[in-house]
Amino acid sequence: QVQLVESGGGAVQPGGSLRLSCAASGFTFSTYTVSWYRQAPGKERELVATITTPGGRRNYADSVKGRFTISRDNANNTLYLQMNSLKPQDTAVYCCGAGSLSRYYWGQGTRVTVSS
């Protein structure tokens, strides 16, 4: 069974930090491009960050550049998103996704709330 399980979400004050994790199982994680997405109320799902196989190339949405860092640990089948300098507009449900040439897998998401 394929699973992507996010963790690390929660409530934080503006300017704070969180580290999200996505634990993968049931497929060959190291061969997939993996990404973080988020969806906030009233907005479309947004691609936040992507890291390719074997992890040498990263891309970020303009809204998070300089604040978020995506990384992966292929030995442990885990994707991370380090989020710093958080803003209220970062509030959303964050999901991880993994894609190959023929398949795409999604996690269930973890909620991040940034408020005073």
Side-chain angles (χ1 to χ4, degrees), residues 4-6 21-23 35-37 79 94-98 105-107 109:
L4 292 170
V5 181
E6 301 93 339
S21 298
C22 172
S35 302
W36 287 100
Y37 301 81
L79 174 70
Y94 286 72
C95 298
C96 55
Y105 302 124
W106 295 94

Side-chain angles (χ1 to χ4, degrees), residues 37-51:
Y37 301 81
R38 67 185 182 186
Q39 188 165 211
K43 299 181 66 176
E44 296 182 351
R45 178 162 31 211
E46 174 188 16
L47 177 61
V48 175
T50 295
I51 185 167

